Amino acid sequence: MITKVYKINRDNIDTDKLKEAAAILQTGGLVAFPTETVYGLGADAMNPDASRKIYAAKGRPSDNPLIVHISKWEDLEKIARDISGKAKKLADAFWPGPLTMILNKKDQVPKETTGGLNTVAVRMPKDEIALRLIEESGCLIAAPSANTSGRPSPTLAEHVLKDLNGRIPLILDGGEVGIGIESTIIDLTEEIPVILRPGRITNEFLKKVVGAIPIVRGIFSKVSGVKPKAPGMKYRHYAPKAGLVLVEGEEENVIAKINALTEELQKHEKKVGIIGTDETVSRYLGDYVISIGARKDEEGIARHLYRILRDFDELGVEMIYSESFSSQGIGQAIMNRLLKAAGHQILEV
Ligand code: TXA
Ligand code: MG
């Protein structure tokens, strides 16, 4: 299969290209498209065969459910039951935007889309291209991140092409995404809502609307013994091909440790990548040192993270050492993804 890539200008969306993408979705095919968080790999959520194609293209385990993307409130009522007052408040406050809600599903939603569960994940994305694609196709679009299963999520159309070239017919290229990490997921099917995956909608935001929401147990530890509520969170994820180790502590100690570890590996002819910050990059010794941004610009750090992991893969780096970040605010999502990518390897210095 040839994979076409269409550049789309968000401020002046080419209707012919959009119609072509919509027609693919309507006939059960796959289209990758930008959202404000990461690129998604879309299919008609109500068509079981179309959902199955997503799993095949990504190499995704079939028990890992998909998020259904909608463009208006009425779409939610087509697929979800028992929509609570809290869910309404959250939707009012954060949709369209990077928040996914887990709700009980209606019978019409195929089990293929929900990985066999009786619940459905729903989100109204903010990206204009995504919204127009949903509307033009008349489909609700099931879409996981458009990466090969286990790889870092794509923040550029080039990342999608790298992973899925020849496996899907079309990628809509809307340039670099704005947020760079996946949506916050909240489970609203139990008495007390729980955050299953931290994201750009942080607890500070949620608190103002519905009160603080606890984060699911075990999310920051390697072995929790708890069956994850979001099946996707149990897989090694967001992972570069290289090994990744986080180094945490006082800045001076971190720099010294990373430089010592790098020198050691370089003696053995290993290619080492270092993820530093604007404040520290000039002080690292490796051949491949990349700044993830200024330490106080957490939005920038989130936006750059996956691209840097992929860039190191392109460079053929075998080991990556990264600075560690605060777990407050968006930092919680950043550290969640970094720890998963590192398989929880963290050195305290
Ligand atoms: O920002 C995002 O959410 C992106 C863009 C494309 O919208 N999508 C995304 O999808 O990150 P994906 O499939 O890569 O991650 C979805 C996560 C998985 O961990 C999955 O297990 C969980 O959501 N999930 C989906 N449906 C669920 C359900 N019914 N119950 C619990 N977890 C669910
Ligand atoms: Mg994903």
Side-chain angles (χ1 to χ4, degrees):
M1 183 187 292
I2 304 281
T3 302
K4 288 194 216 173
V5 182
Y6 288 164
K7 280 213 187 311
I8 306 282
N9 177 354
R10 203 166 266 104
D11 301 322
N12 181 15
I13 296 176
D14 181 329
T15 322
D16 288 342
K17 289 177 180 161
L18 194 73
K19 285 207 158 92
E20 192 174 325
I24 293 175
L25 292 172
Q26 287 160 356
T27 51
L30 304 183
V31 175
F33 62 98
T35 81
E36 76 278 31
T37 56
V38 298
Y39 274 77
L41 177 60
D44 177 358
M46 304 307 261
N47 176 343
D49 290 331
S51 282
R52 259 188 231 117
K53 284 187 194 166
I54 290 180
Y55 291 92
K58 278 181 61 93
R60 180 176 175 112
S62 62
D63 67 346
N64 190 2
L66 309 173
I67 296 175
V68 180
H69 294 67
I70 63 173
S71 65
K72 50 188 183 306
W73 176 260
E74 301 84 81
D75 293 341
L76 180 67
E77 293 170 334
K78 285 187 209 152
I79 55 177
R81 289 184 292 114
D82 315 323
I83 302 166
S84 64
K86 271 193 180 158
K88 290 205 177 81
K89 276 191 189 163
L90 288 168
D92 270 350
F94 302 113
W95 279 359
L99 178 78
T100 296
M101 296 200 280
I102 312 282
L103 297 161
N104 288 323
K105 82 172 188 73
K106 284 198 168 155
D107 291 344
Q108 298 89 294
V109 185
K111 286 271 173 102
E112 283 75 2
T113 298
T114 64
L117 299 176
N118 288 321
T119 55
V120 61
V122 193
R123 151 168 139 79
M124 190 188 293
K126 195 166 190 161
D127 189 292
E128 199 51 32
I129 300 171
L131 287 170
R132 287 278 304 279
L133 184 63
I134 299 168
E135 273 161 24
E136 186 67 42
S137 65
C139 299
L140 308 186
I141 303 185
S145 49
N147 49 286
T148 301
S149 198
R151 301 266 301 134
S153 293
T155 59
L156 290 167
E158 288 80 356
H159 298 161
V160 182
L161 190 65
K162 179 91 194 163
D163 281 11
L164 300 176
N165 194 8
R167 304 177 79 93
I168 61 173
L170 180 61
I171 300 170
L172 299 181
D173 178 356
E176 190 185 29
V177 299
I179 294 176
I181 49 172
E182 308 83 348
S183 60
T184 306
I185 303 181
I186 302 182
D187 182 1
L188 287 148
T189 62
E190 308 278 352
E191 197 57 34
I192 300 172
V194 181
I195 297 177
L196 302 185
R197 181 174 73 184
R200 179 69 188 82
I201 305 292
T202 61
N203 227 326
E204 288 74 21
F205 287 119
L206 296 168
K207 215 186 219 162
K208 291 190 190 128
V209 180
V210 290
I213 301 188
I215 192 155
V216 73
R217 271 203 309 144
I219 202 154
F220 287 105
S221 57
K222 188 171 184 173
V223 200
S224 68
V226 185
K227 184 169 175 255
K229 289 223 59 169
M233 302 303 274
K234 76 181 173 224
Y235 299 104
R236 182 171 182 229
H237 233 147
Y238 319 121
K241 291 177 189 148
L244 170 64
V245 174
L246 309 188
V247 183
E248 185 170 79
E250 292 288 328
E251 184 177 291
E252 288 304 315
N253 297 345
V254 169
I255 294 169
K257 184 72 182 176
I258 290 182
N259 279 337
L261 289 165
T262 301
E263 267 186 329
E264 190 55 37
L265 285 186
Q266 282 179 338
K267 270 189 219 152
H268 298 93
E269 314 271 300
K270 294 240 192 264
K271 278 193 184 177
V272 181
I274 297 173
I275 302 179
T277 48
D278 287 358
E279 292 82 355
T280 57
V281 268
S282 63
R283 303 190 49 206
Y284 287 113
L285 303 174
D287 293 330
Y288 307 99
V289 183
I290 301 183
S291 171
I292 196 166
R295 212 159 241 285
K296 65 174 187 306
D297 176 17
E298 292 192 307
E299 294 189 9
I301 293 175
R303 190 165 58 246
H304 300 147
L305 173 62
Y306 289 142
R307 178 170 53 72
I308 291 176
L309 296 180
R310 283 178 175 266
D311 285 350
F312 277 138
D313 280 345
E314 293 296 308
L315 290 165
V317 160
E318 290 154 275
M319 177 56 99
I320 305 167
Y321 294 116
S322 174
E323 293 179 16
S324 174
F325 300 92
S326 138
S327 290
Q328 298 302 308
I330 318 172
Q332 190 172 53
I334 294 168
M335 282 305 286
N336 168 253
R337 308 307 195 274
L338 259 177
L339 280 164
K340 288 209 119 197
H344 291 271
Q345 296 192 81
I346 182 158
L347 287 176
E348 312 272 347
V349 291

